[in-house]
């Protein structure tokens, strides 16, 4: 039962993370550094990033990068990898697609896009913290980040900042687009997720 509970929490985390990404993308104020990297890579490699259905994730550049991240995490510590590591991209895609269905048209106005962005960032960090807290096998991105954390001994937020700055620079040089949303994601996601994980471990021990 405990294992199923962890799996459910991780799956919900991936779904919430996807909804957060969808809201941030819908705000059109800049994407998170990892998406900047994917957009930049897409300009040079013929893959699709968008996933209008879960099955469309298969064969996409996003899935290829996710599998590489899982492989890295497995080589560092195979205990980090579980079923949820492979299901995470699909749950995340469902969350992103849900926002696309609920809000098919771009948001307008001076305030509304920022509201979408801030709510999206909060959900993005919440989903990330749930995936880490569940400890049922990390999603691909956190498998990569926590793998680096285990190798370096750095704090999670330090690893995340370092990796995302690299992703941001490489993605921008390859032609990815950035904006205020990129800066917010870069500065807030790591610290928010770290504090949320600490809070969850204190209040809701598994």
């Amino acid at each position: 039962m405990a294992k199923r509970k962890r799996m459910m929490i991780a799956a919900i985390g991936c779904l919430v993370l996807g909804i957060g990404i969808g809201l941030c993308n819908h705000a059109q104020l800049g994407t998170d550094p990892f998406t900047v990297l994917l957009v930049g890579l897409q300009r040079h490699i013929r893959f699709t990033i968008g996933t209008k259905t879960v099955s469309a994730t298969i064969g996409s550049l996003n899935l290829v990068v996710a599998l590489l991240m899982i492989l890295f995490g497995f080589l560092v510590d195979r205990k980090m990898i579980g079923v949820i590591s492979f299901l995470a991209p699909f749950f995340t895609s469902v969350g992103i697609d849900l926002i696309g269905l609920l809000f098919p048209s771009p948001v307008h106005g001076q305030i509304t896009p920022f509201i979408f962005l801030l709510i999206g960032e909060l959900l993005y960090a919440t989903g990330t913290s749930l995936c880490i807290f569940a400890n049922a096998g990390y999603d691909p991105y956190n498998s990569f980040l926590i793998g680096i954390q285990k190798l370096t001994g750095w704090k999670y937020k330090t690893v995340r900042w370092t990796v995302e700055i690299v992703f941001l620079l490489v993605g921008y040089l390859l032609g990815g687009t950035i904006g205020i949303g990129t800066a917010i994601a870069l500065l807030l996601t790591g610290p928010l997720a770290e504090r949320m994980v600490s809070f969850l471990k204190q209040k809701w021990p598994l």
Side-chain angles (χ1 to χ4, degrees):
M1 181 63 72
K3 186 176 180 180
R4 290 184 180 181
K5 185 178 180 181
R6 291 176 183 275
M7 289 281 290
M8 287 182 61
I9 294 171
I12 292 171
C14 291
L15 181 64
V16 171
L17 189 152
I19 292 173
I21 292 174
L23 287 172
C24 289
N25 289 344
H26 200 64
Q28 297 182 323
L29 294 172
T31 58
D32 62 279
F34 181 55
T35 305
V36 173
L37 175 65
L38 291 179
V39 172
L41 288 172
Q42 191 193 33
R43 295 180 182 274
H44 303 274
I45 304 174
R46 292 189 176 183
F47 280 106
T48 59
I49 296 175
T51 54
K52 294 184 178 180
T53 64
V54 173
S55 61
T57 308
I58 300 174
S60 70
L61 178 58
N62 184 42
L63 182 57
V64 171
V65 175
L67 291 174
L68 290 174
M69 288 179 167
I70 290 173
L71 176 60
F72 175 81
F74 179 81
L75 293 174
V76 174
D77 183 358
R78 64 182 62 188
K79 292 180 180 179
M80 293 195 300
I81 307 303
V83 175
I84 198 66
S85 303
F86 297 94
L87 294 179
F90 300 97
F91 281 108
T92 303
S93 296
V94 170
I96 295 172
D97 292 341
L98 180 61
I99 295 303
L101 291 172
L102 292 175
F103 305 101
S105 302
V107 292
H108 299 288
Q110 294 181 332
I111 303 299
T112 305
F114 286 96
I115 294 175
F116 271 70
L117 177 64
L118 293 176
I119 295 175
E121 172 57 30
L122 181 60
L123 292 177
Y124 182 47
T126 300
T128 298
S129 66
L130 286 172
C131 290
I132 296 172
F133 168 69
N135 194 24
Y138 297 121
D139 62 278
Y141 196 45
N142 278 302
S143 297
F144 182 66
L145 294 178
I146 294 175
I148 293 176
Q149 184 183 20
K150 287 178 178 291
L151 291 175
T152 61
W154 297 348
K155 290 185 177 181
Y156 177 81
K157 63 181 178 182
T158 304
V159 173
R160 188 165 191 125
W161 276 338
T162 303
V163 169
E164 292 194 337
I165 287 172
V166 172
F167 283 175
L168 179 61
L169 291 175
V170 174
Y172 179 73
L173 292 173
L174 290 175
T177 55
I178 62 175
I180 187 173
T182 309
I184 290 175
L186 177 64
L187 295 174
L188 294 184
T189 303
L192 279 175
E194 194 169 57
R195 291 191 178 189
M196 287 179 182
V197 171
S198 297
F199 175 80
L200 288 170
K201 286 182 177 180
Q202 291 177 1
K203 300 296 183 179
W204 193 17
L206 293 177

